[in-house]
Amino acid sequence: MSAVSGALPGAISPGRPDPHRLGHGSGHSHGATGHGEGGPASKFVTVAYGFWIFLLSDIIMFSAFFAAYAVLAKEIAGGPSGRDLFELPRVAIQTGLLLISSFTCGLGSLASHRRDMVWTQIWLLVTGILGAAFLVLEVQEFAGMIEEGAGPSRSAFLSAFFALVGCHGLHVGMGLLWLGTMIAQLWVKGFRADILRRLQCFNLFWHALDIIWIAIFTLVYLLGASA
């Protein structure tokens, strides 16, 4: 029996490279060690991936606030409930403002991909104005509730409410500061790669806040006003 006919199926001859070894596919090396034939991921991808991990940790924190609110929603201690306090028309306006701001934020991202400075700045500015209007309405709501004696120390329900909604509002405020910084950096430095990465992270952050607010609007305000 010849050496060829006696070889085991799938055996690799001494002169033939192993196709299953990293960096040795197709009979020659691509110089990649564990990153695939295309090489390591781009900086844009790795930054976005890292920021997703941050957002997941933030969502875990909000989940804890939601859980606390769900447990304490009925603990009003003889004080006002959500039905007595929540003004759904105001909250509906807030929701509309935040949804529209998410849309304009996306338009700003598309304009930045086209390297259109004017429309990028316009859409980011509109996003900031809508976010600021949302925050003003939320502060007015909190101030009105405290003035009526329904502050966070009045009951466990109100403590959980102020903690959850206030935490979201704090994130919106930080997002507005971030947005202002991005507008200034784009205007001064242009569409540099690092600035575009930061702008992409801001878009992820702002859309995540929009999703969290939809959960607050549904689980806190709608259910609370109908309970």
Side-chain angles (χ1 to χ4, degrees):
M1 183 179 294
S2 64
V4 174
S5 61
L8 294 174
I12 300 172
S13 60
R16 179 184 172 190
D18 185 354
H20 301 292
R21 292 180 60 193
L22 293 174
H24 294 281
S26 304
H28 61 279
S29 173
H30 294 281
T33 56
H35 299 292
E37 292 188 359
S42 67
K43 185 73 171 178
F44 186 89
V45 172
T46 55
V47 169
Y49 179 77
F51 197 75
W52 267 113
I53 295 176
F54 161 76
L55 288 179
L56 289 174
S57 67
D58 220 30
I59 290 172
I60 291 172
M61 180 189 67
F62 272 105
S63 298
F65 280 111
F66 274 110
Y69 179 82
V71 171
L72 301 174
K74 303 296 184 181
E75 305 298 326
I76 61 175
S81 65
R83 177 180 291 184
D84 304 319
L85 296 171
F86 297 156
E87 300 177 17
L88 290 185
R90 176 200 293 271
V91 183
I93 293 173
Q94 287 181 260
T95 303
L97 290 171
L98 205 58
L99 288 173
I100 296 172
S101 75
S102 187
F103 177 68
T104 57
C105 185
L107 292 177
S109 178
L110 293 175
S112 70
H113 291 321
R114 299 194 306 268
R115 303 298 190 269
D116 189 334
M117 178 62 75
V118 173
W119 280 107
T120 299
Q121 296 283 24
I122 288 175
W123 290 124
L124 291 181
L125 183 61
V126 172
T127 300
I129 292 172
L130 293 171
F134 168 88
L135 205 56
V136 167
L137 289 176
E138 187 167 284
V139 171
Q140 288 178 346
E141 178 189 31
F142 283 1
M145 291 172 67
I146 293 173
E147 192 173 312
E148 295 175 5
S153 61
R154 177 63 183 82
S155 65
F157 153 67
L158 287 169
S159 295
F161 168 80
F162 274 89
L164 173 58
V165 181
C167 183
H168 179 271
L170 182 62
H171 278 68
V172 173
M174 291 188 297
L176 291 176
L177 292 176
W178 187 0
L179 178 59
T181 303
M182 291 305 308
I183 291 174
Q185 287 185 339
L186 278 170
W187 185 259
V188 173
K189 301 179 180 179
F191 294 105
R192 284 183 1 190
D194 56 338
I195 295 177
L196 288 175
R197 290 194 297 267
R198 295 169 198 160
L199 185 59
Q200 176 68 15
C201 290
F202 170 79
N203 275 269
L204 293 174
F205 178 78
W206 199 255
H207 295 319
L209 291 183
D210 200 19
I211 294 171
I212 293 170
W213 177 256
I214 293 300
I216 292 175
F217 176 66
T218 304
L219 301 177
V220 175
Y221 286 100
L222 290 182
L223 293 181
S226 62

